[in-house]
Amino acid sequence: MTSFHYVNDTLVAEDVALTEIANTYGTPTYVYSRADIEAAYTSFEQAFASHPHRVCYSVKANSNLAVLNILARLGAGFDIVSGGELQRVLRAGGDAAGVVFSGVGKTAAELQMALQANIACFNVESVAELDTLQSIAAQLGQVAPISIRVNPDVDSGTHPYIATGLKENKFGVSSDIAVEMYRRAATMDNINIVGIDCHIGSQITELSPLTDALAEVLQLVDGLERDGITLNHIDLGGGLGVCYKDEQPIAVEDYASAVLQTMGRHSQKLFFEPGRYIVANAGILLSKVELTKQNGDHRFAVVDAAMNDLIRPALYNAWQKVAAVELHDDPENWSVVGPVCETGDFIAHDRELAIATGDLIAVHSSGAYGFVMSSNYNSRNRAAEIIVSGSDHYCVRQRETIDDQLHLETILPD
Ligand code: LLP
């Protein structure tokens, strides 16, 4: 489902025209639909209704407080990768008891903060992390609940920068090392083994890598059980792909039936860490055409959003749909680019659009890994974030000002 659609040739988000958003808040601006976020979360939740499970929204995809709060109200758990994300979840009203902590380089301070918050599970990714966690938990007189992140060595078939499940990737540990780590963890006084974890990549559009990874995890689970180590949950990570262009994403119901079939007689609770699936298509980046120019045969629309606002095209050569907010006839071929001083600063190439100076465009599928990856490159103020709900709209992050950018900086004394 999408709440972004045309009414009388004008793009709306739920019941609000994007022209109204631009008039009220300016551009560039991220716009999210509350209904779309809720629908995506609920569809995931319902697909696994027949099996004990917990959906831990992956905060990195979009960590705006209001987005986290919408999901907290629905009872979501959260997958975090930093102390900052933990603090966001808690301030958004999320329950620490539903938090899993992933990441290959958790600092001692982050481990301590998460222990003190009593999170549900540490997804441990190395022997060194296990040892540090044991010693911090001992100092605090606490017991740390853990999973070990296994690297099942399957190819998720996705972009190399976001594939994480191959043995040459930095994430997790191999099955052999995982078994040794479980044996060692079982002897540690301040460690409580509760589960096993894997995450093989992002934007996955085929089922077989996901079920292959689960099958390998289940073999480990059975082997550990023979050693007397019982696990309460299996965390399958995130990674479910979405449609940006013409991909055929896996329907969440098909994902659920394949996972549950692979589980067979195994009754462990399932944890999931979806990010993109929940928010990608629930958001657009709204931008204005500043000017147009032609170099040789090439027509450029220079818009007020740039790679600092949305880096996915520059970083991954990602394709995201660009649409005119108000539809006109006679489209032409455009490169849509930002004002940043890099040739890599583009939003889209080779698009048929009917646009002119002053027009608004929407960059679709920008709800995940959009604002969160933005920066102040070229000293540009980061965009505002708006949530639409029915005919209401709320500014959930104000546009930055130059004072916001500069208040941490100073010049040297005389
Ligand atoms: N769990 C772990 C341990 C992860 O590393 C990730 C994503 C997720 C869950 C959520 O994955 P998702 O369901 O969103 O696919 N910036 C890239 C994506 C990076 C993904 C990193 N890890 C992009 O814009 O495509």
Side-chain angles (χ1 to χ4, degrees):
M1 113 163 214
T2 174
S3 294
F4 296 94
H5 61 280
Y6 286 89
V7 176
N8 299 330
D9 286 349
T10 295
L11 190 58
V12 304
E14 300 195 21
D15 300 328
V16 181
L18 291 174
T19 46
E20 183 182 339
I21 300 285
N23 288 339
T24 312
Y25 306 102
T27 51
T29 291
Y30 278 93
V31 185
Y32 313 124
S33 154
R34 178 180 187 167
D36 286 1
I37 296 171
E38 290 179 339
Y41 174 81
T42 306
S43 68
F44 205 112
E45 182 58 40
Q46 283 175 354
F48 286 94
S50 66
H51 191 97
H53 69 279
R54 172 181 275 164
V55 180
C56 298
Y57 166 67
S58 194
V59 173
K60 66 170 79 70
N62 183 327
S63 57
N64 181 282
L65 275 188
V67 170
L68 299 181
N69 174 258
I70 286 170
L71 292 164
R73 291 192 210 191
L74 296 176
F78 295 95
D79 162 50
I80 60 163
V81 288
S82 71
E85 287 191 349
L86 176 57
Q87 284 169 321
R88 280 182 177 273
V89 167
L90 298 177
R91 288 206 205 171
D95 184 0
V99 169
V100 298
F101 193 173
S102 307
V104 74
K106 307 173 187 81
T107 66
E110 289 174 322
L111 292 173
Q112 178 166 343
M113 185 197 296
L115 271 168
Q116 285 170 330
N118 286 316
I119 66 163
C121 189
F122 292 84
N123 291 339
V124 174
E125 301 211 18
S126 63
V127 179
E129 182 186 339
L130 182 62
D131 291 343
T132 309
L133 186 57
Q134 157 59 31
S135 90
I136 294 174
Q139 278 163 30
L140 295 174
Q142 278 187 257
V143 174
I146 67 138
S147 281
I148 303 223
R149 177 166 174 187
V150 201
N151 199 330
D153 195 23
V154 298
D155 184 354
S156 55
T158 188
H159 190 287
Y161 283 15
I162 53 176
T164 49
L166 293 171
K167 64 175 181 297
E168 62 265 31
N169 294 138
K170 68 178 175 178
F171 300 98
V173 296
S174 66
S175 300
D176 303 351
I177 296 179
V179 172
E180 282 169 31
M181 282 173 70
Y182 274 112
R183 289 187 185 139
R184 179 173 174 144
T187 68
M188 292 176 157
D189 290 339
N190 301 83
I191 296 287
N192 180 26
I193 297 170
V194 294
I196 188 163
D197 167 50
C198 78
H199 168 83
I200 58 168
S202 198
Q203 184 55 14
I204 298 170
T205 52
E206 277 174 66
L207 267 175
S208 54
L210 293 160
T211 49
D212 288 353
L214 174 56
E216 172 145 356
V217 167
L218 288 173
Q219 275 191 10
L220 270 171
V221 171
D222 293 344
L224 290 167
E225 198 151 306
R226 288 193 290 276
D227 280 0
I229 297 173
T230 4
L231 305 179
N232 307 330
H233 79 251
I234 297 173
D235 183 338
L236 286 179
L240 211 55
V242 301
C243 182
Y244 285 97
K245 187 181 188 182
D246 50 12
E247 305 88 336
Q248 302 278 317
I250 304 162
V252 74
E253 295 76 17
D254 295 341
Y255 177 52
S257 55
V259 164
L260 295 180
Q261 195 184 342
T262 311
M263 284 291 282
R265 58 177 179 80
H266 295 88
S267 59
Q268 287 83 1
K269 186 167 178 173
L270 286 168
F271 283 23
F272 299 95
E273 303 169 357
R276 192 188 313 265
Y277 177 82
I278 309 288
V279 287
N281 281 321
I284 60 117
L285 174 58
L286 184 61
S287 178
K288 190 177 84 197
V289 179
E290 286 293 338
L291 60 94
T292 62
K293 64 186 278 188
Q294 189 155 350
N295 281 353
D297 290 342
H298 226 90
R299 220 186 300 273
F300 291 96
V302 183
V303 300
D304 63 4
M307 66 188 290
N308 75 295
D309 299 300
L310 181 70
I311 202 173
R312 300 189 72 258
L315 189 57
Y316 312 116
N317 204 18
W319 192 101
Q320 294 186 213
K321 181 177 169 186
V322 175
V325 166
E326 292 178 290
L327 292 179
H328 301 290
D329 294 333
D330 304 325
E332 292 167 309
N333 191 277
W334 292 98
S335 278
V336 180
V337 301
V340 161
C341 304
E342 301 219 18
T343 301
D345 177 33
F346 67 94
I347 302 285
H349 288 307
D350 195 17
R351 302 297 171 89
E352 299 297 316
L353 292 163
I355 48 174
T357 300
D359 284 359
L360 295 169
I361 59 154
V363 187
H364 283 269
S365 314
S366 297
Y369 307 110
F371 183 87
V372 285
M373 294 179 81
S374 67
S375 76
N376 291 120
Y377 189 38
N378 279 206
S379 290
R380 289 166 51 83
N381 294 321
R382 276 183 292 180
E385 292 177 287
I386 308 298
I387 292 189
V388 168
S389 181
S391 53
D392 297 324
H393 46 89
Y394 306 90
C395 178
V396 292
R397 192 181 203 275
Q398 292 172 34
R399 183 178 312 290
E400 277 179 352
T401 65
I402 190 63
D403 288 336
D404 293 326
Q405 283 195 55
L406 292 181
H407 83 280
L408 296 173
E409 295 179 34
T410 187
I411 57 172
L412 297 180
D414 286 340

